[in-house]
Amino acid sequence: MRRVAFVDESGTKSFCNCVVVAGLVVEAAGSYMYWGAGLVDEIRRSLGIVGELKWRRVKRRGGRELVEALLRRFEARHFAVHYTSQRDFEAHLWRFLTDIDADIFVLDTGLADASKFPRAVNKPSHKVPGLQLADLVAGLISERYRGGGCRERPTRP
């Protein structure tokens, strides 16, 4: 078993937008590429979703409680930041990752260049169920920030 952190963001990385990054940390036996496949299938079936899980689709189908159950079941971390530049964003991401005890960090493609971070890899979310679950967590947490400002420190949900 090894600790795997699946990391995704919610929000558009453009100047002055609030971006929430969430990490779902799990104990995975076998390949991290397939961890969470059963959970993803269960959520799809219960909500009648075909294809990749995305927060907006799950929310629209009334799946908020399913995502809140993920937060109770697994370790989740997040941070929110006003996006000013990719360099600044990656500095926040670096601090976030160094605070998480994990053997490997699976970053969604487009989040940041994984080669800049130790023990990190980039993978597309449509191929990695754990990243789809991290997307749901990031979406839910991002909604909690709406209207309340964008806090710039790592916190637990």
Side-chain angles (χ1 to χ4, degrees):
M1 295 268 266
R2 63 183 173 166
R3 285 178 58 85
V4 180
F6 296 97
V7 183
D8 199 2
E9 90 276 3
S10 180
T12 306
K13 289 189 294 186
S14 61
F15 189 72
C16 241
N17 277 351
C18 183
V19 178
V20 172
V21 174
L24 190 63
V25 186
V26 302
E27 294 287 334
S31 174
Y32 66 81
M33 290 290 292
Y34 306 107
W35 183 91
L39 287 170
V40 166
D41 288 343
E42 184 180 313
I43 293 170
R44 281 187 194 138
R45 268 193 309 278
S46 69
L47 299 176
I49 294 175
V50 177
E52 183 177 359
L53 288 182
K54 289 292 199 182
W55 168 243
R56 286 183 187 185
R57 294 173 78 194
V58 168
K59 179 184 164 191
R60 236 180 281 136
R61 301 276 180 120
R64 179 183 219 73
E65 288 181 15
L66 295 171
V67 180
E68 288 173 348
L70 284 174
L71 289 174
R72 288 188 299 273
R73 186 171 173 189
F74 300 104
E75 178 184 346
R77 303 280 195 96
H78 73 278
F79 74 92
V81 64
H82 283 287
Y83 186 86
T84 55
S85 70
Q86 187 64 20
R87 183 174 182 214
D88 187 50
F89 176 77
E90 288 173 353
H92 284 280
L93 182 60
W94 175 271
R95 287 191 294 278
F96 175 70
L97 296 179
T98 58
D99 192 42
I100 297 174
D101 177 25
D103 298 309
I104 187 167
F105 300 95
V106 183
L107 309 181
D108 188 26
T109 303
L111 178 68
D113 179 0
S115 68
K116 296 179 179 180
F117 306 94
R119 302 181 323 276
V121 296
N122 284 115
K123 295 294 176 186
S125 61
H126 70 277
K127 292 187 176 184
V128 181
L131 283 173
Q132 292 178 48
L133 296 171
D135 178 271
L136 301 183
V137 170
L140 176 66
I141 293 170
S142 178
E143 285 203 349
R144 293 177 180 172
Y145 279 94
R146 291 198 184 128
C150 190
R151 288 177 248 141
E152 295 189 3
R153 59 181 170 77
T155 59
R156 291 181 186 262

